[in-house]
Amino acid sequence: MLFFSSFVFSVVASAGNDSIDVSNKSVLNNFLKKKYAEEGKTFNGGGIEAPGELPGVVTVYNAVK
């Protein structure tokens, strides 16, 4: 990170198209459980939306329907 400290930059993350409220941990965890179950996998624990939920990251999305 020392190399990057001399530059000014922004990290931009594209939000997915699943129309879920990732700030609501219950909604996010239920979504992940369902998504993994469709693939025959099991999801246990808590999830975070990364990189969009990380400090200093700008998250963008397309609102056109």
Side-chain angles (χ1 to χ4, degrees):
M1 293 302 280
L2 183 60
F3 172 78
F4 292 109
S5 66
S6 61
F7 297 98
V8 176
F9 63 93
S10 296
V11 175
V12 179
S14 175
N17 295 325
D18 296 306
S19 300
I20 62 168
D21 179 3
V22 297
S23 66
N24 183 326
K25 297 300 181 190
S26 177
V27 170
L28 177 60
N29 289 337
N30 288 336
F31 170 79
L32 292 172
K33 286 179 185 179
K34 180 180 176 187
K35 192 76 162 175
Y36 282 113
E38 291 171 357
E39 299 174 6
K41 301 173 184 171
T42 303
F43 175 81
N44 293 315
I48 65 165
E49 193 281 315
E53 196 173 311
L54 300 175
V57 174
V58 178
T59 303
V60 296
Y61 68 97
N62 184 352
V64 176
K65 292 185 178 189

